[in-house]
Amino acid sequence: MVEDRKLNVLRAIVEDYVATQEPVGSKALVDRHQLGVSPATVRNDMAALEEEGFITQPHTSAGRIPTDKGYRLFVDRLSTVKPLSAAEKRAITTLLEGAVDLDDVVQRSVRLLAQLTRQVAVVQYPTLSRSTVRHVEVVPLGGSRLLLVLILSTGRVEQRVVELPEPLSDEAVAEIRTKVNRATLGERLADAADKLVQLPDEFEQDSRAPIAALVASLVEAMSDHRSDERVLVGGTANLARFGDGFDTSIRPMLEALEEHVVLLRLLGEATSPSTLTVRIGHEGPYEELAATSVVATGYGPGDEALASLGIVGPTRMDYPGSMAAVRAVARYVSRILDEG
């Protein structure tokens, strides 16, 4: 099915069904769209589309609705993703530029995606294991206590107060700070931890005990994987717009939103900031979510994704608009993380 005319008819059916949530008839297509052909030709094209499995007739004497196969062809043949309006671009800039830390970035991204797409937004916290070390600060707190501050490429900050076996001089603290940063700066966390374990050997024997205590605390901070399975969900109230299909599509989605493992698997294929993943209906990993589509992408500084974000909603969603919003928010968040 390669004819442009049939593709135009399918596009019109998808757009009308998403807008009205009603099956689309040939008369409505001719009235609402400049297809440039007669009603009889449109009916013939619709019959061919139905025979090839791109549209279906839900009820006798009703109009047609797209199938998963039809949505897939529509998405695959999109020549351009619908550009964001100036107001939408301003909303992204205004909301995200005001973020004060990583948690704030994630929370604002969820709220923004839900507002732009009117779907359920899902944002995974950056995966700690993929992060690199941006800086380590060592601050004397008086006596034998030190404050360790670990700053990662994701913008995440880990703090630990360390009780040392004995006090250290300001000169010793400065030396530790320099050597720790020299060993870890720009390193993946696993590699940084390996280098830190060897760090006490660079100090005199009588000062190795406090260095070892500091290193142990820092390695523990680097191996804290609490965020790796964390996701934030927003816009659940948007599902109220799709109440007519509650039992078949909305109830399973509400149940899925309570399971972070399910959400992570839904986002799972989105591993690159440069690639947008669209999974429609039965293409997803869960049969009970067969009436659901996912638009997702990775985000993170550079070319490698630290985590994923996207939207989840009924298959009759505005794919061009949702794809544009997901891509734009991901790119903006990536830029924020890149700039620190």
Side-chain angles (χ1 to χ4, degrees):
M1 209 216 65
V2 294
E3 297 124 341
D4 289 341
R5 193 185 69 214
K6 287 183 186 175
L7 194 58
N8 285 336
V9 171
L10 176 63
R11 175 189 51 77
I13 292 170
V14 170
E15 290 176 355
D16 279 10
Y17 182 57
V18 168
T20 67
Q21 300 182 27
E22 297 289 340
V24 183
S26 58
K27 184 177 186 305
L29 288 181
V30 172
D31 291 343
R32 286 197 285 253
H33 298 271
Q34 302 296 319
L35 296 174
V37 293
S38 68
T41 301
V42 171
R43 285 193 294 273
N44 288 338
D45 287 343
M46 290 178 71
L49 287 166
E50 185 171 12
E51 187 175 338
E52 293 166 17
F54 294 107
I55 59 175
T56 187
Q57 188 174 25
H59 310 291
T60 306
S61 74
R64 306 310 195 267
I65 66 173
T67 61
D68 288 358
K69 184 180 178 182
Y71 284 125
R72 169 49 60 195
L73 182 66
F74 172 75
V75 169
D76 289 347
R77 293 296 184 91
L78 283 176
S79 56
T80 57
V81 173
K82 187 169 73 177
L84 295 179
S85 67
E88 289 170 330
K89 290 177 181 176
R90 275 197 307 274
I92 294 176
T93 304
T94 303
L95 193 64
L96 291 183
E97 280 192 344
V100 296
D101 57 22
L102 179 62
D103 282 339
D104 201 16
V105 169
V106 172
Q107 290 164 8
R108 287 169 182 249
S109 299
V110 161
R111 194 160 73 246
L112 186 59
L113 267 179
Q115 289 171 355
L116 290 174
T117 63
R118 300 183 70 201
Q119 303 289 353
V120 177
V122 183
V123 179
Q124 178 190 10
Y125 278 80
T127 302
L128 189 61
S129 58
R130 298 182 195 166
S131 307
T132 58
V133 177
R134 181 169 280 163
H135 184 68
V136 178
E137 189 56 64
V138 185
V139 183
L141 295 178
S144 58
R145 299 169 76 228
L146 288 178
L147 173 65
L148 289 177
V149 183
L150 171 65
I151 304 172
L152 304 180
S153 58
T154 59
R156 180 171 170 176
V157 177
E158 288 285 334
Q159 299 185 46
R160 298 288 189 277
V161 175
V162 187
E163 293 282 353
L164 301 176
E166 56 194 69
L168 290 173
S169 66
D170 289 345
E171 293 78 11
V173 171
E175 183 184 7
I176 291 169
R177 184 187 300 116
T178 299
K179 288 188 174 180
V180 164
N181 277 288
R182 188 183 299 149
T184 61
L185 191 64
E187 296 284 346
R188 287 284 192 102
L189 294 195
D191 298 331
D194 288 342
K195 290 188 175 182
L196 282 173
V197 171
Q198 302 167 25
L199 199 60
D201 295 338
E202 297 184 21
F203 292 83
E204 297 296 329
Q205 184 70 41
D206 57 355
S207 62
R208 286 182 184 175
I211 305 302
L214 185 149
V215 164
S217 184
L218 197 50
V219 169
E220 184 271 329
M222 290 179 174
S223 59
D224 182 355
H225 289 266
R226 286 172 302 175
S227 73
D228 285 10
E229 299 297 317
R230 288 177 66 200
V231 294
L232 202 62
V233 177
T236 308
N238 287 328
L239 294 176
R241 296 188 297 123
F242 303 97
D244 57 319
F246 185 83
D247 285 330
T248 56
S249 60
I250 307 308
R251 188 194 302 277
M253 209 182 312
L254 286 171
E255 292 172 353
L257 294 176
E258 297 179 3
E259 299 290 338
H260 284 192
V261 173
V262 172
L263 294 176
L264 286 169
R265 195 170 171 208
L266 287 176
L267 296 177
E269 288 182 1
T271 55
S272 168
S274 60
T275 303
L276 201 65
T277 299
V278 181
R279 289 198 291 190
I280 299 167
H282 290 87
E283 297 172 355
Y286 297 101
E287 184 59 37
E288 60 269 28
L289 295 178
T292 300
S293 286
V294 179
V295 179
T297 189
Y299 72 90
D303 296 327
E304 185 177 6
L306 293 169
S308 305
L309 61 78
I311 55 106
V312 182
T315 52
R316 62 173 185 272
M317 69 170 61
D318 171 18
Y319 288 97
S322 297
M323 291 162 69
V326 168
R327 178 177 289 165
V329 171
R331 285 178 175 173
Y332 212 99
V333 173
S334 297
R335 201 172 86 200
I336 289 174
L337 295 181
D338 205 21
E339 294 171 352

